[in-house]
Amino acid sequence: MADDVFGIHGTALNLRSQRMSMLASNIANAATPNYKARDIDFRDALRRAEEGQQTGQTSNTPVQYRVPLQPSLDGNTVELSTEQTQFAENAIAYRTTLTFLNGRIATLSRALKGE
């Protein structure tokens, strides 16, 4: 029933949360030798989730490794400015999706109260 009420937005919020954790991990490991920066392609992951919902299958989100513009000598592929930018953009998109879902919940609540 939640899929009928929230549509793809619930899935999008979950994917954005997963991506935020991954980006935060990249930032936290910016000085860890041989750490490989990871990310997910949000659009591809959302498309896969939509297809999985239609077929009744669950699909795992494929992890991608970021290729740095300037490789470091210690093998770390985290570029802090890139990760911080991606994190900020994802946080804004997360908040936007959350705001939409809060509006949907408020509308349903008013409908149930008969307002």
Side-chain angles (χ1 to χ4, degrees):
M1 182 175 156
D3 287 341
D4 294 337
V5 174
F6 299 122
I8 197 67
H9 299 288
T11 303
L13 191 66
N14 185 33
L15 288 171
R16 293 232 180 258
S17 177
Q18 288 177 16
R19 185 166 187 239
M20 196 169 302
S21 290
M22 207 173 284
L23 294 170
S25 179
N26 291 346
I27 292 169
N29 286 290
T32 304
N34 294 314
Y35 182 83
K36 307 301 180 205
R38 301 175 304 141
D39 199 355
I40 62 170
D41 181 343
F42 177 79
R43 288 180 191 210
D44 183 52
L46 190 59
R47 181 188 54 77
R48 286 173 181 260
E50 285 179 311
E51 289 172 358
Q53 286 176 354
Q54 292 170 358
T55 61
Q57 299 174 354
T58 57
S59 61
N60 292 332
T61 305
V63 175
Q64 299 175 340
Y65 292 92
R66 212 181 294 288
V67 178
L69 296 173
Q70 294 181 339
S72 67
L73 295 175
D74 66 359
N76 186 309
T77 63
V78 175
E79 292 179 319
L80 198 53
S81 60
T82 300
E83 301 302 326
Q84 289 172 331
T85 301
Q86 293 295 319
F87 186 89
E89 288 175 359
N90 190 66
I92 291 169
Y94 180 90
R95 183 66 189 154
T96 301
T97 302
L98 192 59
T99 300
F100 177 82
L101 288 172
N102 282 335
R104 177 72 59 101
I105 291 168
T107 301
L108 290 172
S109 177
R110 284 193 306 274
L112 291 172
K113 290 177 183 176
E115 295 176 2

